[in-house]
Amino acid sequence: MMSYDDNNIFAKILRGEIPCEKVLENDHALAFNDIAPQAPVHILVIPKHPYESASQFLQNAADSELVGFQRLVGEVVSLKVIHDSGYRLIANTGRNGRQEVPHYHVHVLGGRDLGCMVF
Ligand code: 5GP
């Protein structure tokens, strides 16, 4: 991707240059605990290939990557601790979405009442 920053923190995690607390992994995606959890369960799911945004991922990823990524999200939300009580998926994107790390990721939040959606 033209604009992708190879030095972003998730690229470094994928290259094994910095550690993460891995939760699950498949050929196309990695799930790990957020370093600053906003809820008792706060897991990030990222594709292994370099996509900056949701739109870049959804428009350019191969079908196998799309399926692999969504399957891993599915496995994460099937974890007993959040499956029964509910959870929220968030993908902050770009400036207005307040995306801090420029590698596409989905936040999986749960383990408490997450309150109302913010509009
Ligand atoms: P964003 O605002 O881009 O949607 O979310 C980025 C998330 O990445 C934040 O929730 C932040 O706590 C998390 N994060 C930032 N740096 C690291 C890191 O080095 N390791 C892990 N595990 N999470 C990180």
Side-chain angles (χ1 to χ4, degrees), residues 32-94:
F32 54 96
N33 286 322
D34 195 291
I35 204 167
Q38 304 296 307
V41 174
H42 188 170
I43 296 168
L44 301 168
V45 186
I46 66 174
K48 289 188 172 178
H49 283 161
Y51 300 102
E52 180 175 333
S53 65
S55 52
Q56 283 188 0
F57 177 67
L58 296 170
Q59 290 169 10
N60 298 300
D63 289 358
S64 56
E65 285 183 275
L66 291 167
V67 171
F69 181 83
Q70 295 294 2
R71 290 271 187 238
L72 199 67
V73 173
E75 284 185 47
V76 169
V77 300
S78 295
L79 296 174
K80 178 80 178 127
V81 66
I82 55 174
H83 182 261
D84 294 344
S85 51
Y87 48 85
R88 182 172 292 157
L89 306 180
I90 298 174
N92 298 319
T93 306

Side-chain angles (χ1 to χ4, degrees), residues 1-14:
M1 295 300 150
M2 289 280 289
S3 64
Y4 184 80
D5 172 12
D6 262 331
N7 286 317
N8 78 74
I9 206 87
F10 295 169
K12 291 180 179 177
I13 286 175
L14 285 167

